[in-house]
Amino acid sequence: MLHNYTETAVLQLLNDVIKNHQKENEMCTCERCRQDIMAIALNNLPPSYIVTDTGEIITQVSFNQFGGRAQVITQIMKAAEIVASNPRHK
Ligand SMILES: [Zn+2]
């Protein structure tokens, strides 16, 4: 199965970023804003395609082998700022 690992990384790290920022109430976490943040971050990150066996779950271990963690977090933070300053939710 062809899989874009960057997408998994963004999804997982977005949840971390939201958890860390919810206390400060800085981020809207509605579905629309989450997807806007993901789209912007993914457009600014290089795709990282891997092939997995069908049904294989991408674990935290393989996730840690992916070197771009800091880069992904940076792009999520930037995307969150863009979305916060111009939210498209109703
Ligand atoms: Zn929102």
Side-chain angles (χ1 to χ4, degrees):
M1 209 176 113
L2 190 62
H3 187 88
N4 181 4
Y5 203 52
T6 307
E7 211 177 299
T8 306
V10 168
L11 192 63
Q12 289 193 4
L13 290 172
L14 177 61
N15 287 331
D16 286 355
V17 169
I18 285 171
K19 258 185 233 155
N20 292 337
H21 281 73
Q22 241 171 1
K23 297 168 209 150
E24 303 151 44
N25 250 337
E26 280 175 8
M27 260 172 95
C28 177
T29 57
C30 77
E31 193 58 28
R32 181 62 205 258
C33 288
R34 286 168 68 112
Q35 292 200 351
D36 280 344
I37 292 167
M38 276 194 74
I40 295 166
L42 281 167
N43 281 336
N44 288 323
L45 287 161
S48 177
Y49 286 99
I50 54 169
V51 177
T52 58
D53 293 326
T54 309
E56 185 185 339
I57 292 160
I58 296 165
T59 62
Q60 198 65 33
V61 176
S62 56
F63 179 61
N64 287 338
Q65 285 166 356
F66 172 77
R69 189 188 163 91
Q71 193 191 359
V72 171
I73 289 176
T74 303
Q75 292 302 332
I76 290 172
M77 301 292 287
K78 277 189 194 169
E81 274 175 39
I82 293 167
V83 171
S85 63
N86 188 18
R88 292 200 283 170
H89 52 210
K90 285 175 186 143

